[in-house]
């Protein structure tokens, strides 16, 4: 096989070839309802420029397979970092522990020739020296921006992955996935006080976009502005109050507090707050939430999911009515509904499960400025940092990285230490305004579930919430 063919990273003479992979998969999964052989090769790198010098320059390569067989609700899964017929047959011994199926094998996914991103390798397109030089240039430019800049940290990372899904019924699907990301963090100091601001961007494209001066200067400007705003911040108020959520990245709250509860496995098991509620009103009119893994070059997008199912726009909530859940193949089959292209896994060493791709609320009709004017006493949360969420109930605690006091419809002082406390299902019923300015995040999201992490996207318009508990240290 030609070394220029990405599949040559999966198939090697004397180890495994495509024909043998299909034949062996058919043999070892023949008594299963469903399953697949998942082959993967991946290469990744990361650079960290901190304290004025390059501190980290990592490069990793990995390859292996995951073999999964499903019978009813039972799953057998084994993996290895050796792609060979012998290793696959050894792994198949695990499948002997599950009972043979009494049902016909599930139909394969439909084939898909759509490509949402380039198959080129971002790691090979730019020399090592240029990547290190970019980090140094961003560091120098950030330090020159303002005398209050005390520390700068620049992170640049990329990966390239070749995956192939081989099913026992002869179905084969291949996907080649690039991913890049740039992060800038700035610490500003004034009168002995230090505050931090950060900004990142990325997606399923090549490094070229991140090397454009306008893009990395925007990252510097946004991170610095946030740090300088936080230098002026005062203690956050505490109590229940009106909260205005900004567009874009604040959709991470929607992702965590609502999105996970709309994944198929929690609903099949009846553990989600949304279980058994298809057709019910779960949000105020005007709320439409979708998961869409088919948006070109987005961080959370996939041409096919990790089971071979093409991604799509899946309407979860439409005009406040619960319409459906995100499904992988197993949960979809057990619930009697179609798979939605949400079967995702961290890598070959993990089995797939229902996961979000790009999850967001669509725009409403309200003018964001008019929404602000409605806030008599509350806060405006422009950006979020970390948070804690119970993904079954949707209860959350999120910290704001940039937020402002609002009184009589006017932005006031920036505030420090604000946390938002509530639960996702209740928030959906307390929305009193939905902006016409929906935006997706800049491409830095990482989603965790069941010990696995995958890249994901979030988004929303400006949202006005009638009442949320705000944690802070000042009187309301």
């Amino acid at each position: 096989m030609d070394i220029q063919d990405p599949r040559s990273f999966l198939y090697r003479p004397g180890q495994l070839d495509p024909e043998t992979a299909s034949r062996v998969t058919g043999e070892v999964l023949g008594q299963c309802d469903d399953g697949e052989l998942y082959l993967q090769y991946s290469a990744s790198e990361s650079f960290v420029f901190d304290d004025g010098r390059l501190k980290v320059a990592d490069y990793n390569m990995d390859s292996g397979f995951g073999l999964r067989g499903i019978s009813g609700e039972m799953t057998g899964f084994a993996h290895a970092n050796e792609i060979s017929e012998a290793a696959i047959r050894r792994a198949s011994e695990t499948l002997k522990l599950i009972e043979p199926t009494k049902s016909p094998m599930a139909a394969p996914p439909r084939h898909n020739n759509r490509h949402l991103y380039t198959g080129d390798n971002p790691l090979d397109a730019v020399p090592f020296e240029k990547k290190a030089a970019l980090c140094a240039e961003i560091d120098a430019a950030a330090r020159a921006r303002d005398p209050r800049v005390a520390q700068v940290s620049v992170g640049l990372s990329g990966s390239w992955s070749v995956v192939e899904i081989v099913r026992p019924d002869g179905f084969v699907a291949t996907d080649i996935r690039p991913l890049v990301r740039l992060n800038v963090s700035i610490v500003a100091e004034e009168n002995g006080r230090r505050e931090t601001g950060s900004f990142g961007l990325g997606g399923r494209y090549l490094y070229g976009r991140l090397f454009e001066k306008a893009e990395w200067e925007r990252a510097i400007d946004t991170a610095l502005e946030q740090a300088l705003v936080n230098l002026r911040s005062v203690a956050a108020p505490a109590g229940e109050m009106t909260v205005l959520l900004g567009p874009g990245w604040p959709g991470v709250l929607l992702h965590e507090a609502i999105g996970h509860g709309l994944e198929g496995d929690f609903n099949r098991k009846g553990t989600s707050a949304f279980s058994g509620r298809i057709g019910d009103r779960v949000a105020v009119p005007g709320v439409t939430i979708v998961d869409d893994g088919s948006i070109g070059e987005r961080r959370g997008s996939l041409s096919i999911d990790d089971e071979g199912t093409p991604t799509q726009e899946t309407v979860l909530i439409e005009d406040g009515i619960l319409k459906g859940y995100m499904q992988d193949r197993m949960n979809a089959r057990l619930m009697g509904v179609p798979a939605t292209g949400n079967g995702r896994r961290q890598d070959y060493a993990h089995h797939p499960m229902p996961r979000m791709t790009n999850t967001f609320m669509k725009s409403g009709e309200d003018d964001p400025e008019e929404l602000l004017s409605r806030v008599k006493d509350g806060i405006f949360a422009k950006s979020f940092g970390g948070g804690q969420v119970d993904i079954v109930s949707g209860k959350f605690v999120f910290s704001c990285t940039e937020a402002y006091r609002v009184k009589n419809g006017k932005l006031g002082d920036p505030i420090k230490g604000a946390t938002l406390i509530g639960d996702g299902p209740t928030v959906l019923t307390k929305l009193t305004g939905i902006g016409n300015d929906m935006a997706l995040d800049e491409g830095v999201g990482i989603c965790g579930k069941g010990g696995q992490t995958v890249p994901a996207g979030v988004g929303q318009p400006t949202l006005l919430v009638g009442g949320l508990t705000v944690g802070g240290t000042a009187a309301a």
Side-chain angles (χ1 to χ4, degrees):
M1 187 174 289
D2 185 354
I3 193 64
Q4 298 303 313
D5 180 354
R7 297 175 77 209
S8 65
F9 289 100
L10 307 176
Y11 298 110
R12 295 182 182 277
Q15 296 291 311
L16 189 68
D17 59 71
E19 295 74 21
T20 302
S22 287
R23 175 174 52 80
V24 172
T25 302
E27 292 173 7
V28 301
L29 298 181
Q31 292 185 306
C32 298
D33 286 333
D34 206 355
E36 73 285 310
L37 173 67
Y38 182 86
L39 306 172
Q40 181 181 28
Y41 166 85
S42 62
S44 63
E45 65 182 5
S46 62
F47 300 83
V48 176
F49 201 93
D50 190 41
D51 201 24
R53 57 196 175 99
L54 186 66
K55 286 193 173 180
V56 175
D58 284 342
Y59 182 88
N60 294 285
M61 289 190 299
D62 193 15
S63 62
F65 71 86
L67 180 67
R68 181 180 64 148
I70 302 171
S71 181
E73 294 188 35
M74 296 181 64
T75 298
F77 179 76
H79 64 89
N81 60 1
E82 172 194 330
I83 301 180
S84 69
E85 179 182 356
I88 294 168
R89 290 197 180 278
R90 287 195 299 270
S92 71
E93 295 294 313
T94 301
L95 306 184
K96 294 179 180 179
L97 299 175
I98 64 176
E99 297 178 1
T101 183
K102 297 178 181 178
S103 306
M105 180 166 287
R110 62 179 174 85
H111 277 283
N112 173 46
N113 292 319
R114 176 193 61 194
H115 298 286
L116 300 176
Y117 29 79
T118 181
D120 293 343
N121 185 346
L123 281 61
D124 293 344
V126 180
F128 173 92
E129 295 79 6
K130 284 193 175 182
K131 297 165 193 170
L134 174 67
C135 294
E137 186 175 6
I138 294 173
D139 175 86
R143 293 177 184 278
R145 278 287 199 283
D146 192 288
R148 290 168 289 183
V149 173
Q151 181 59 281
V152 178
S153 180
V154 182
L156 181 68
S157 61
S159 66
W160 187 71
S161 182
V162 181
V163 303
E164 185 148 298
I165 295 107
V166 182
R167 288 180 47 82
D169 48 29
F171 173 94
V172 178
T174 310
D175 197 17
I176 304 167
R177 302 168 176 173
L179 191 66
V180 296
R181 175 173 166 172
L182 172 68
N183 283 85
V184 177
S185 178
I186 294 176
V187 177
E189 182 176 10
E190 188 173 38
N191 299 324
R193 180 178 177 178
R194 287 190 164 209
E195 296 292 346
T196 302
S198 61
F199 184 79
L201 66 156
R204 293 198 180 278
Y205 44 79
L206 303 180
Y207 276 129
R209 194 175 307 182
L210 304 183
F211 275 69
E212 293 176 7
K213 190 173 183 181
E215 284 292 85
W216 58 257
E217 285 200 333
R218 181 168 68 94
I220 293 173
D221 292 340
T222 308
L224 178 59
E225 179 185 16
Q226 189 179 96
L228 296 180
V229 164
N230 286 332
L231 277 177
R232 300 186 285 107
S233 63
V234 298
E240 183 164 323
M241 59 188 67
T242 302
V243 175
L244 187 66
L245 301 172
W249 177 246
V252 68
L253 190 154
L254 176 86
H255 166 105
E256 296 287 3
I258 296 161
H260 280 295
L262 295 172
E263 292 168 337
D265 48 356
F266 296 124
N267 289 282
R268 178 175 66 83
K269 297 171 185 177
T271 57
S272 167
F274 297 103
S275 296
R277 299 191 63 192
I278 298 293
D280 290 356
R281 175 165 296 284
V282 296
V284 298
V287 171
T288 295
I289 298 174
V290 303
D291 181 86
D292 191 349
S294 65
I295 308 172
E297 298 189 332
R298 293 296 308 178
R299 181 175 174 84
S301 293
L302 295 169
S303 296
I304 55 172
D305 73 4
D306 292 319
E307 298 176 305
T309 305
T311 54
Q312 63 183 41
E313 180 188 85
T314 299
V315 178
L316 305 170
I317 298 172
E318 185 173 34
D319 199 21
I321 305 298
L322 183 62
K323 292 293 185 178
Y325 308 121
M326 291 166 277
Q327 302 285 5
D328 64 350
R329 286 179 58 86
M330 186 182 83
N331 285 281
R333 177 172 54 84
L334 294 172
M335 295 179 75
V337 297
T340 58
N342 290 92
R344 304 190 64 189
R345 62 179 97 202
Q346 179 173 311
D347 55 35
Y348 69 85
H350 298 82
H351 62 83
M353 63 178 78
R355 303 292 301 271
M356 285 174 274
T357 57
N358 305 298
T359 312
F360 54 95
M361 184 184 297
K362 292 195 172 182
S363 284
E365 298 179 354
D366 295 318
D367 183 313
E369 290 297 323
E370 192 273 330
L371 292 179
L372 175 63
S373 72
R374 291 192 215 169
V375 182
K376 301 309 176 188
D377 187 15
I379 69 168
F380 169 52
K382 184 177 180 180
S383 186
F384 286 110
Q388 292 181 322
V389 180
D390 180 332
I391 60 178
V392 174
S393 67
K395 293 181 179 178
F396 62 80
V397 178
F398 268 91
S399 60
C400 301
T401 53
E402 184 177 351
Y404 299 83
R405 196 75 165 92
V406 181
K407 288 201 173 184
N408 297 318
K410 303 292 184 183
L411 285 181
D413 291 331
I415 55 178
K416 178 182 173 68
T419 58
L420 302 185
I421 304 165
D423 72 87
T426 299
V427 168
L428 289 177
T429 67
K430 288 189 171 183
L431 293 176
T432 58
I434 304 171
N436 58 12
D437 58 344
M438 194 287 287
L440 296 172
D441 75 289
E442 295 278 355
V444 296
I446 298 173
C447 173
K449 176 183 174 181
Q452 299 189 39
T453 59
V454 295
V458 302
Q460 67 175 40
T462 298
L463 297 176
L464 185 59
V465 186
L468 263 182
T469 299
V470 177
T473 56

